[in-house]
Amino acid sequence: MTHRRNFLKYLAASPLLTSYSAFAQEVEETLGERLIDPSEVINVFEMEAVAKTNIPPAHMGYLNTGVDSDETLRANRDGFSRYQIKPRRLVNVSETDTRVNFLGADAESPIFLCPVGSQGAYHAEAELGSARAAAARGHHMVLSTQSSTAVEAVAEAKGAPIWHQLYPTTRWEYTVAILQRAEAAGCTSVCLTIDLPGGRNTETQSIMTREDDRNCSACHTGTPKPIFDGLDMRGVGLNNPGLTWDVIGRMKETTEMNVIIKGIEVASDAALAVQHGADAVWVSNHGGRATETARGSIECLPEVAAAVGGRVPIIIDGGFRRGTDVFKALALGADAVGIGRPYCWGLGAFGQVGVERVLDLMQRELLIAMRGSGTPVLNAIGQEYVHDSGRRMPGATFVRDLM
């Protein structure tokens, strides 16, 4: 058995193997058993393998699901193969600088922690572990409406202003109450999520839930998330299907926080967001778990950047697993890049130190990509550093990138 597993690990690292899921599954199990120290983990795919040994199937299903057949989820990864890096040589890269200031938020890296709900399902430290890791490594953090932990406690753990992601409820007075609470806790920006007006079909989550033989009532008590404390959520929807672009103006009348519109995928919507006063736009398909578009976030970025025209900053998320992925997004017009599942894998695997390891790995890979491409500072990374092949490259996603 040991020899077979060693052989499977060899195959998983081989570019010749592209789609054998049975092999990938056993490699994941092998890594999950073997890696017990976060310093041993060499990339985020290995971190996912470790997380799968710790996180219950139903909870892992919630984290890793896409919608329908997960085509958009896969497109988020495959889309990066459409773009190739064009490195420059004999540039002085002895000193590199990845510091950013995004709407007043200072960070040591353009890699931000995306809002991911219910982090208590992955580790007892929950959002506090993620916030402390972000603080330790100098990364910015956005907290989910669906956070397991109160916004005030997370802001205190971070020790610096965070941003708050907002699901617009079907009762405007509740939306206002959430905005006011987030602002009082020290949040400096609110990220209005607009890509779930009609629900979603999370089949992978349903399939993985079947594999979980626990009593769900042990961790799902029906208690609302902390942000809804004091609000009677009976009959209140989390997403408001009646919203239109005037919501930006209404929010700006309610809060002094910057208003960021999260869920932009096309140029016309990006232009409308700026026209109606958005302080930034966030290119996102909700990690492949909103509408099954079969289009990767990175493939949406160029048209959004062209429509924005530098008038407001741009964030992007969706499938980022490598420093080279981050580099490509910065070259195509993004100012910051959000990661979600990778740091939650780190959280599920090792708690705060696992999140720190994920941030270290992706930051290291970004620095390698910058130095190898001749771009010592972020503002040197321009469109001339990537080539758009116009198509996704067949066989670009290996088994080790599917873990």
Side-chain angles (χ1 to χ4, degrees):
M1 187 65 171
T2 300
H3 293 303
R4 182 167 183 261
R5 286 182 168 175
N6 287 337
F7 177 63
L8 288 168
K9 283 188 289 182
Y10 167 78
L11 284 179
S14 170
L16 300 176
L17 188 62
T18 59
S19 61
Y20 293 97
S21 59
F23 285 130
Q25 180 179 352
E26 186 154 355
V27 171
E28 291 173 8
E29 293 170 355
T30 302
L31 289 171
E33 294 169 1
R34 179 173 61 85
L35 299 177
I36 59 175
D37 185 326
S39 66
E40 297 178 312
V41 178
I42 64 172
N43 57 44
V44 300
F45 310 108
E46 288 194 345
M47 193 65 82
E48 180 185 8
V50 180
K52 284 182 176 179
T53 67
N54 295 346
I55 300 176
H59 295 176
M60 198 70 184
Y62 171 77
L63 179 60
N64 280 3
T65 193
V67 292
D68 293 356
S69 299
D70 289 352
E71 193 173 352
T72 309
L73 182 73
R74 290 190 294 272
N76 276 345
R77 285 297 304 138
D78 294 342
F80 290 105
S81 68
R82 172 175 170 170
Y83 304 97
Q84 293 88 51
I85 294 175
K86 297 169 61 178
R88 300 292 303 273
R89 305 303 185 203
L90 290 178
V91 177
N92 183 355
V93 290
S94 58
E95 296 184 7
T96 51
D97 187 355
T98 62
R99 290 175 296 176
V100 293
N101 180 290
F102 195 113
L103 297 180
D106 290 315
E108 295 298 315
S109 170
I111 302 171
F112 288 10
L113 272 62
C114 278
V116 179
S118 303
Q119 291 183 30
Y122 315 130
H123 194 277
E125 295 178 9
E127 289 83 4
L128 296 180
S130 298
R132 290 166 183 149
R137 294 299 187 263
H139 293 253
H140 189 51
M141 179 180 184
V142 188
L143 186 68
S144 172
T145 297
Q146 292 285 72
S147 170
S148 304
T149 313
V151 59
E152 295 85 358
V154 178
E156 182 180 1
K158 180 68 166 61
I162 59 174
W163 292 352
H164 200 275
Q165 175 263 345
L166 177 68
Y167 285 121
T169 71
T170 52
R171 292 189 63 173
W172 179 249
E173 63 269 30
Y174 283 12
T175 302
V176 171
I178 294 169
L179 286 170
Q180 292 174 341
R181 180 172 172 184
E183 188 166 11
C187 296
T188 56
S189 294
V190 57
C191 307
L192 176 67
T193 298
I194 61 172
D195 55 17
L196 287 176
R200 56 189 175 193
N201 180 36
T202 53
E203 293 184 2
T204 295
Q205 178 184 352
S206 297
I207 292 169
M208 293 185 70
T209 298
R210 293 174 185 160
E211 302 173 9
D212 201 324
D213 57 6
R214 300 169 307 132
N215 181 356
C216 282
S217 63
C219 56
H220 298 278
T221 62
T223 302
K225 299 298 183 182
I227 195 65
F228 302 118
D229 288 348
L231 303 176
D232 183 0
M233 294 300 292
R234 289 175 297 181
V236 178
L238 200 58
N239 291 283
N240 187 343
L243 288 184
T244 58
W245 290 104
D246 65 2
V247 69
I248 298 175
R250 295 176 71 191
M251 290 176 64
K252 283 183 165 289
E253 292 173 356
T254 301
T255 179
E256 295 297 320
M257 293 185 288
N258 300 304
V259 176
I260 300 169
I261 302 302
K262 182 178 184 291
I264 299 293
E265 298 183 61
V266 299
S268 54
D269 280 352
L272 283 167
V274 176
Q275 176 186 328
H276 284 82
D279 295 296
V281 298
W282 192 322
V283 179
S284 176
N285 54 34
H286 217 107
R289 54 201 289 154
T291 305
E292 185 78 306
T293 64
R295 191 175 182 219
S297 287
I298 193 70
E299 296 173 292
C300 304
L301 178 58
E303 69 171 88
V304 170
V308 169
R311 290 175 290 171
V312 299
I314 297 172
I315 313 172
I316 185 173
D317 66 40
F320 287 85
R321 304 289 183 265
R322 293 285 191 184
T324 49
D325 300 338
V326 177
F327 184 93
K328 291 174 184 179
L330 296 173
L332 291 171
D335 299 285
V337 169
I339 61 170
R341 291 181 178 95
Y343 83 83
C344 287
W345 295 334
L347 181 67
F350 301 106
Q352 175 184 337
V353 293
V355 179
E356 291 179 13
R357 180 61 175 168
V358 166
L359 294 174
D360 288 346
L361 288 169
M362 292 197 68
Q363 177 70 2
R364 172 180 177 270
E365 291 178 3
L366 173 60
L367 287 168
I368 290 172
M370 289 175 62
R371 292 166 183 150
S373 301
T375 53
V377 294
L378 295 180
N379 62 14
I381 306 172
Q383 195 167 357
E384 67 273 19
Y385 285 88
V386 290
H387 167 68
D388 181 359
S389 69
R391 63 186 180 90
R392 299 174 193 162
M393 302 296 288
T397 300
F398 305 140
V399 165
R400 64 173 179 266
D401 291 340
L402 293 174
M403 292 181 183

